[in-house]
Amino acid sequence: QVQLVESGGGLVQAGGSLRLSCAASGRTFTTYAMAWFRQAPGEDRDFVAAISWMIGGSTYYADSVEGRFTISRDNAKNTLYLQMNSLKPEDTAVYYCAATRQFPVTTPLTYSYWGQGTQVTVSS
């Protein structure tokens, strides 16, 4: 089992920044990639970004966040990060950390482990 705990959400004005963290524990050595998804009220859970859990691993970004968000990880701490810059009101959502052992990494259907979510609210 893999346990994931998100933190770092909050309220920020448009144009501001936040950094989300996801602490992973358990059988993390079996994890191929980790990702961030988000879900706004009444909307589907959408892919945000993913990164392979290895040195030099590939990164993937949704078009809506490309150039504004950066996904990274600290292997020693088993922690995933999402640096969110130039935030827009449209970024308001609950952000979820997830882990998978298989491809593809841009769909929630392949992810077996999820955090509880952290709320990000961007005011206009």
Side-chain angles (χ1 to χ4, degrees):
Q1 295 291 321
V2 176
Q3 291 77 46
L4 305 173
V5 180
E6 303 99 332
S7 62
L11 175 65
V12 65
Q13 288 197 315
S17 299
L18 284 174
R19 187 180 73 164
L20 306 183
S21 298
C22 174
S25 60
R27 294 172 57 84
T28 57
F29 59 88
T30 66
T31 299
Y32 168 75
M34 296 184 69
W36 292 96
F37 291 81
R38 66 187 183 186
Q39 187 167 23
E43 303 292 333
D44 294 332
R45 185 168 297 188
D46 293 327
F47 171 77
V48 177
I51 186 169
S52 297
W53 200 257
M54 61 186 70
I55 298 175
S58 299
T59 58
Y60 308 83
Y61 294 95
D63 290 343
S64 59
V65 305
E66 181 73 45
R68 298 189 297 121
F69 293 7
T70 302
I71 189 170
S72 62
R73 73 279 193 277
D74 185 328
N75 292 343
K77 295 182 178 180
N78 289 129
T79 301
L80 180 73
Y81 302 98
L82 184 67
Q83 180 65 47
M84 309 164 67
N85 298 327
S86 301
L87 283 162
K88 305 174 181 179
E90 305 89 85
D91 296 318
T92 296
V94 176
Y95 283 70
Y96 297 92
C97 176
T100 184
R101 297 177 58 193
Q102 58 189 334
F103 293 103
V105 299
T106 57
T107 172
L109 298 179
T110 63
Y111 287 79
S112 299
Y113 305 101
W114 296 86
Q116 79 288 347
T118 185
Q119 178 70 48
V120 171
T121 302
V122 184
S123 62
S124 60

